[in-house]
Amino acid sequence: MTGAARAQSASAGPASALTITANVGLASDYRFRGISQTDKNPAVQGGFDLTHTSGLYAGVWASNISWISDGNSAVSAPIEMDFYGGYRGEIVKGLTFDVGGLQYYYPGSYPSNQYFPRPHTFELYAQLGYGPFTLKYSNSLTRLFGLVNPVTGASTTNSGYLDLTGNFDLGWWGLSATGHVGHQFVHNYSQASYTDWKIALNKDLGKGFSASLAYIDTNAKKSVYSAANNGRFLGGATVVASITRTF
């Protein structure tokens, strides 16, 4: 999911408690927790964020996807929409927190004459930040993107994702670096659990534009994370280029 980095006042008055930001971007591949959501094809993405000086915030973000129809050609669901809201602040000087909820929603046409678990997913998350580092845990209160154990039929509700990320200003030419490692635990379906990692170089291009070049890889199992329609493995190592405009 992408958040705006620069704020623009929601009203003309400088004392406004609300700010609204927007973002739009293009990526060579949409990778979510290391797994391609677009069958390794480009994605157009964008969203809006509303922030209050109290620390409350809400937003919406969307991207094209193909992973659902790649898994079942009877389904037409080409869009992911994320709706989220939460509260962030500072516990003590330098130690921040962020708690909230996020609804992943996939509008589309699903087969009515066969069983197909809906991929819509709701997660609660909690994050701590200190210096350049953030540690975040997300827990699904629904089946994780429609997954069930293919043998037992057991639900994947209460699956969790642990994310450790560091962002470092290189102090030169508007460059920064990002390092990330995450682990997706899938409840009742251990074969679907995996670890992903990323190293990225980011460039501030000015006037709200930024670019990123990232190396992404996972140890996800091919038997679980390959597209059913073409057999392409969606969790392999790749380089993703992206450009984003925030306003």
Side-chain angles (χ1 to χ4, degrees):
M1 177 181 70
T2 301
R6 296 173 183 266
Q8 178 176 311
S9 178
S11 68
S16 174
L18 292 173
T19 58
I20 185 168
T21 58
N23 62 88
V24 62
L26 176 65
S28 60
D29 185 4
Y30 172 22
R31 290 275 172 146
F32 174 74
R33 297 177 182 173
I35 305 298
S36 177
Q37 308 295 288
T38 52
D39 198 19
K40 303 183 179 180
N41 292 310
V44 178
Q45 306 167 330
F48 296 90
D49 293 275
L50 182 66
T51 305
H52 190 269
T53 52
S54 66
L56 292 170
Y57 64 90
V60 59
W61 184 85
S63 175
N64 62 289
I65 59 164
S66 66
W67 67 269
I68 301 175
S69 56
D70 289 338
N72 186 333
S73 57
V75 178
S76 176
I79 300 294
E80 172 188 331
M81 300 181 69
D82 300 345
F83 303 92
Y84 51 91
Y87 178 68
R88 62 170 69 98
E90 191 173 50
I91 301 173
V92 295
K93 186 173 178 59
L95 180 63
T96 62
F97 72 91
D98 185 352
V99 294
L102 195 160
Q103 175 69 54
Y104 302 89
Y105 179 64
Y106 303 91
S109 173
Y110 295 89
S112 58
N113 60 345
Q114 60 178 284
Y115 174 69
F116 186 85
R118 297 298 186 261
H120 316 312
T121 299
F122 181 73
E123 290 184 334
L124 292 177
Y125 57 84
Q127 175 180 290
L128 290 174
Y130 188 79
F133 297 101
T134 59
L135 181 66
K136 180 178 181 179
Y137 182 73
S138 303
N139 189 82
S140 66
L141 301 189
T142 61
R143 282 183 302 229
L144 186 69
F145 305 107
L147 276 175
V148 295
N149 186 301
V151 176
T152 66
S155 171
T156 56
T157 299
N158 286 324
S159 294
Y161 184 73
L162 185 63
D163 171 356
L164 176 63
T165 297
N167 292 294
F168 308 92
D169 186 350
L170 300 183
W172 176 73
W173 203 45
L175 290 175
S176 64
T178 300
H180 152 87
V181 62
H183 182 74
Q184 178 69 70
F185 162 72
V186 183
H187 185 56
N188 288 326
Y189 189 11
S190 61
Q191 289 292 101
S193 298
Y194 67 93
T195 299
D196 71 282
W197 52 94
K198 177 178 77 172
I199 299 174
L201 187 64
N202 316 299
K203 165 67 174 169
D204 183 352
L205 301 173
K207 297 184 178 180
F209 286 93
S210 62
S212 176
L213 193 65
Y215 172 82
I216 301 171
D217 199 3
T218 78
N219 66 355
K221 292 180 171 57
K222 291 184 178 180
S223 59
V224 178
Y225 292 99
S226 292
N229 288 354
N230 58 28
R232 186 176 291 127
F233 179 44
L234 303 177
T238 191
V239 174
V240 174
S242 63
I243 186 166
T244 304
R245 171 75 159 97
T246 60
F247 24 165

Short mmCIF file of all heavy atoms in Angstrom, two decimals, residues 27-31 34-43 66-67 70 222 225 227 230-240:
data_model
loop_
_atom_site.label_atom_id
_atom_site.label_comp_id
_atom_site.label_asym_id
_atom_site.label_seq_id
_atom_site.Cartn_x
_atom_site.Cartn_y
_atom_site.Cartn_z
N ALA A 27 4.49 1.84 -11.48
CA ALA A 27 5.51 0.87 -11.08
C ALA A 27 5.64 -0.22 -12.14
O ALA A 27 4.65 -0.59 -12.79
CB ALA A 27 5.16 0.24 -9.73
N SER A 28 6.84 -0.73 -12.31
CA SER A 28 7.07 -1.78 -13.30
C SER A 28 6.45 -3.11 -12.87
O SER A 28 6.23 -4.00 -13.71
CB SER A 28 8.56 -1.97 -13.55
OG SER A 28 9.24 -2.34 -12.35
N ASP A 29 6.15 -3.25 -11.58
CA ASP A 29 5.49 -4.44 -11.04
C ASP A 29 4.92 -4.04 -9.69
O ASP A 29 5.56 -3.29 -8.95
CB ASP A 29 6.50 -5.59 -10.88
CG ASP A 29 5.88 -6.91 -10.44
OD1 ASP A 29 4.64 -6.98 -10.32
OD2 ASP A 29 6.64 -7.87 -10.21
N TYR A 30 3.73 -4.50 -9.36
CA TYR A 30 3.17 -4.25 -8.04
C TYR A 30 3.48 -5.43 -7.15
O TYR A 30 2.91 -6.50 -7.31
CB TYR A 30 1.66 -4.02 -8.16
CG TYR A 30 0.92 -3.94 -6.84
CD1 TYR A 30 1.56 -3.61 -5.64
CD2 TYR A 30 -0.46 -4.16 -6.78
CE1 TYR A 30 0.88 -3.53 -4.44
CE2 TYR A 30 -1.17 -4.07 -5.59
CZ TYR A 30 -0.49 -3.76 -4.42
OH TYR A 30 -1.17 -3.69 -3.22
N ARG A 31 4.42 -5.24 -6.26
CA ARG A 31 4.80 -6.28 -5.31
C ARG A 31 4.22 -5.94 -3.95
O ARG A 31 4.47 -4.88 -3.39
CB ARG A 31 6.32 -6.38 -5.21
CG ARG A 31 6.98 -6.95 -6.47
CD ARG A 31 6.99 -8.46 -6.43
NE ARG A 31 7.45 -9.04 -7.68
CZ ARG A 31 8.15 -10.17 -7.75
NH1 ARG A 31 8.49 -10.81 -6.65
NH2 ARG A 31 8.49 -10.66 -8.92
N GLY A 34 6.29 -8.85 -1.16
CA GLY A 34 7.21 -9.62 -2.00
C GLY A 34 6.57 -10.39 -3.12
O GLY A 34 7.28 -10.90 -4.00
N ILE A 35 5.25 -10.48 -3.17
CA ILE A 35 4.54 -11.28 -4.18
C ILE A 35 3.94 -10.37 -5.24
O ILE A 35 3.27 -9.38 -4.91
CB ILE A 35 3.42 -12.12 -3.52
CG1 ILE A 35 3.99 -12.98 -2.38
CG2 ILE A 35 2.73 -12.98 -4.56
CD1 ILE A 35 5.02 -14.00 -2.81
N SER A 36 4.15 -10.70 -6.51
CA SER A 36 3.60 -9.88 -7.59
C SER A 36 2.08 -9.97 -7.61
O SER A 36 1.50 -11.06 -7.61
CB SER A 36 4.16 -10.31 -8.95
OG SER A 36 3.58 -9.56 -9.99
N GLN A 37 1.44 -8.82 -7.67
CA GLN A 37 -0.01 -8.74 -7.74
C GLN A 37 -0.49 -8.54 -9.18
O GLN A 37 -1.70 -8.57 -9.44
CB GLN A 37 -0.52 -7.58 -6.89
CG GLN A 37 0.00 -7.58 -5.46
CD GLN A 37 -0.49 -8.76 -4.66
OE1 GLN A 37 -1.66 -8.83 -4.31
NE2 GLN A 37 0.39 -9.69 -4.36
N THR A 38 0.45 -8.32 -10.11
CA THR A 38 0.11 -7.98 -11.49
C THR A 38 0.75 -8.94 -12.50
O THR A 38 0.91 -8.60 -13.67
CB THR A 38 0.56 -6.55 -11.82
OG1 THR A 38 1.95 -6.40 -11.47
CG2 THR A 38 -0.26 -5.53 -11.06
N ASP A 39 1.12 -10.15 -12.03
CA ASP A 39 1.76 -11.14 -12.92
C ASP A 39 3.00 -10.54 -13.58
O ASP A 39 3.27 -10.75 -14.76
CB ASP A 39 0.77 -11.62 -13.99
CG ASP A 39 1.21 -12.93 -14.63
OD1 ASP A 39 2.06 -13.62 -14.03
OD2 ASP A 39 0.73 -13.24 -15.73
N LYS A 40 3.76 -9.74 -12.79
CA LYS A 40 5.02 -9.12 -13.21
C LYS A 40 4.83 -8.06 -14.29
O LYS A 40 5.77 -7.75 -15.03
CB LYS A 40 6.03 -10.18 -13.65
CG LYS A 40 6.32 -11.23 -12.57
CD LYS A 40 7.38 -12.21 -13.01
CE LYS A 40 7.67 -13.22 -11.92
NZ LYS A 40 8.71 -14.21 -12.32
N ASN A 41 3.64 -7.50 -14.37
CA ASN A 41 3.35 -6.43 -15.32
C ASN A 41 3.22 -5.10 -14.58
O ASN A 41 3.06 -5.06 -13.37
CB ASN A 41 2.05 -6.74 -16.08
CG ASN A 41 2.21 -7.92 -17.01
OD1 ASN A 41 3.14 -7.97 -17.80
ND2 ASN A 41 1.30 -8.89 -16.92
N PRO A 42 3.26 -3.96 -15.31
CA PRO A 42 3.21 -2.64 -14.66
C PRO A 42 1.89 -2.38 -13.96
O PRO A 42 0.86 -3.00 -14.24
CB PRO A 42 3.41 -1.67 -15.85
CG PRO A 42 4.13 -2.48 -16.88
CD PRO A 42 3.57 -3.87 -16.75
N ALA A 43 1.95 -1.41 -13.04
CA ALA A 43 0.76 -1.02 -12.27
C ALA A 43 0.67 0.50 -12.20
O ALA A 43 1.68 1.19 -12.05
CB ALA A 43 0.82 -1.60 -10.87
N SER A 66 -3.91 -8.40 -11.12
CA SER A 66 -4.37 -9.50 -11.96
C SER A 66 -4.35 -10.84 -11.23
O SER A 66 -4.78 -11.85 -11.79
CB SER A 66 -3.52 -9.60 -13.24
OG SER A 66 -2.19 -9.97 -12.93
N TRP A 67 -3.83 -10.87 -9.99
CA TRP A 67 -3.59 -12.14 -9.32
C TRP A 67 -4.85 -12.96 -9.10
O TRP A 67 -4.81 -14.20 -9.09
CB TRP A 67 -2.85 -11.94 -8.00
CG TRP A 67 -3.61 -11.24 -6.92
CD1 TRP A 67 -3.63 -9.89 -6.67
CD2 TRP A 67 -4.43 -11.84 -5.90
NE1 TRP A 67 -4.43 -9.61 -5.58
CE2 TRP A 67 -4.92 -10.79 -5.08
CE3 TRP A 67 -4.80 -13.15 -5.61
CZ2 TRP A 67 -5.75 -11.02 -4.00
CZ3 TRP A 67 -5.64 -13.38 -4.53
CH2 TRP A 67 -6.10 -12.34 -3.73
N ASP A 70 -5.77 -14.42 -12.46
CA ASP A 70 -4.70 -15.35 -12.82
C ASP A 70 -4.87 -16.70 -12.12
O ASP A 70 -4.41 -17.73 -12.61
CB ASP A 70 -3.33 -14.77 -12.45
CG ASP A 70 -2.93 -13.60 -13.33
OD1 ASP A 70 -3.46 -13.49 -14.45
OD2 ASP A 70 -2.10 -12.79 -12.89
N LYS A 222 7.02 -22.13 -4.64
CA LYS A 222 6.45 -22.04 -5.98
C LYS A 222 5.12 -22.77 -6.07
O LYS A 222 4.23 -22.36 -6.82
CB LYS A 222 7.43 -22.62 -7.01
CG LYS A 222 8.67 -21.79 -7.22
CD LYS A 222 9.53 -22.37 -8.32
CE LYS A 222 10.77 -21.52 -8.57
NZ LYS A 222 11.62 -22.09 -9.66
N TYR A 225 2.64 -20.04 -4.61
CA TYR A 225 2.60 -18.69 -5.16
C TYR A 225 2.94 -18.63 -6.65
O TYR A 225 3.68 -17.76 -7.11
CB TYR A 225 3.52 -17.77 -4.35
CG TYR A 225 2.99 -17.54 -2.95
CD1 TYR A 225 3.50 -18.28 -1.88
CD2 TYR A 225 1.97 -16.63 -2.72
CE1 TYR A 225 3.01 -18.08 -0.60
CE2 TYR A 225 1.47 -16.44 -1.44
CZ TYR A 225 1.99 -17.17 -0.38
OH TYR A 225 1.48 -16.98 0.89
N ALA A 227 1.00 -18.54 -10.53
CA ALA A 227 -0.29 -18.26 -11.16
C ALA A 227 -0.85 -19.54 -11.77
O ALA A 227 -0.17 -20.21 -12.55
CB ALA A 227 -0.13 -17.19 -12.23
N ASN A 230 -1.01 -19.67 -15.84
CA ASN A 230 0.19 -19.79 -16.68
C ASN A 230 1.39 -20.41 -15.97
O ASN A 230 2.44 -20.61 -16.58
CB ASN A 230 0.59 -18.42 -17.25
CG ASN A 230 0.84 -17.39 -16.17
OD1 ASN A 230 1.23 -17.71 -15.05
ND2 ASN A 230 0.62 -16.11 -16.50
N GLY A 231 1.25 -20.72 -14.68
CA GLY A 231 2.33 -21.37 -13.94
C GLY A 231 3.47 -20.46 -13.57
O GLY A 231 4.48 -20.93 -13.02
N ARG A 232 3.37 -19.16 -13.81
CA ARG A 232 4.47 -18.24 -13.53
C ARG A 232 4.60 -18.02 -12.02
O ARG A 232 3.63 -17.71 -11.34
CB ARG A 232 4.24 -16.91 -14.24
CG ARG A 232 5.40 -15.93 -14.11
CD ARG A 232 5.16 -14.67 -14.93
NE ARG A 232 5.20 -14.96 -16.35
CZ ARG A 232 4.24 -14.64 -17.20
NH1 ARG A 232 3.14 -14.04 -16.77
NH2 ARG A 232 4.37 -14.92 -18.47
N PHE A 233 5.84 -18.17 -11.52
CA PHE A 233 6.11 -17.97 -10.09
C PHE A 233 6.10 -16.48 -9.79
O PHE A 233 6.80 -15.69 -10.42
CB PHE A 233 7.46 -18.58 -9.73
CG PHE A 233 7.86 -18.41 -8.29
CD1 PHE A 233 6.95 -18.63 -7.26
CD2 PHE A 233 9.16 -18.04 -7.96
CE1 PHE A 233 7.31 -18.48 -5.93
CE2 PHE A 233 9.53 -17.89 -6.64
CZ PHE A 233 8.61 -18.11 -5.63
N LEU A 234 5.31 -16.07 -8.80
CA LEU A 234 5.09 -14.66 -8.52
C LEU A 234 5.93 -14.12 -7.37
O LEU A 234 5.86 -12.93 -7.05
CB LEU A 234 3.61 -14.42 -8.21
CG LEU A 234 2.63 -14.87 -9.29
CD1 LEU A 234 1.19 -14.65 -8.84
CD2 LEU A 234 2.90 -14.14 -10.60
N GLY A 235 6.75 -14.99 -6.76
CA GLY A 235 7.54 -14.55 -5.61
C GLY A 235 9.03 -14.58 -5.83
O GLY A 235 9.80 -14.50 -4.86
N GLY A 236 9.47 -14.66 -7.08
CA GLY A 236 10.90 -14.72 -7.37
C GLY A 236 11.58 -13.37 -7.30
O GLY A 236 10.93 -12.32 -7.25
N ALA A 237 12.92 -13.38 -7.29
CA ALA A 237 13.70 -12.15 -7.21
C ALA A 237 13.43 -11.27 -8.42
O ALA A 237 13.27 -11.75 -9.55
CB ALA A 237 15.19 -12.49 -7.14
N THR A 238 13.38 -9.97 -8.18
CA THR A 238 13.11 -9.01 -9.26
C THR A 238 13.64 -7.64 -8.88
O THR A 238 13.95 -7.37 -7.72
CB THR A 238 11.59 -8.93 -9.54
OG1 THR A 238 11.38 -8.20 -10.76
CG2 THR A 238 10.86 -8.23 -8.41
N VAL A 239 13.71 -6.77 -9.87
CA VAL A 239 14.00 -5.35 -9.66
C VAL A 239 12.78 -4.56 -10.10
O VAL A 239 12.27 -4.76 -11.21
CB VAL A 239 15.24 -4.90 -10.45
CG1 VAL A 239 15.43 -3.38 -10.33
CG2 VAL A 239 16.49 -5.62 -9.94
N VAL A 240 12.29 -3.70 -9.23
CA VAL A 240 11.10 -2.91 -9.51
C VAL A 240 11.47 -1.43 -9.55
O VAL A 240 12.08 -0.91 -8.61
CB VAL A 240 10.01 -3.14 -8.45
CG1 VAL A 240 8.82 -2.20 -8.66
CG2 VAL A 240 9.54 -4.59 -8.48
#
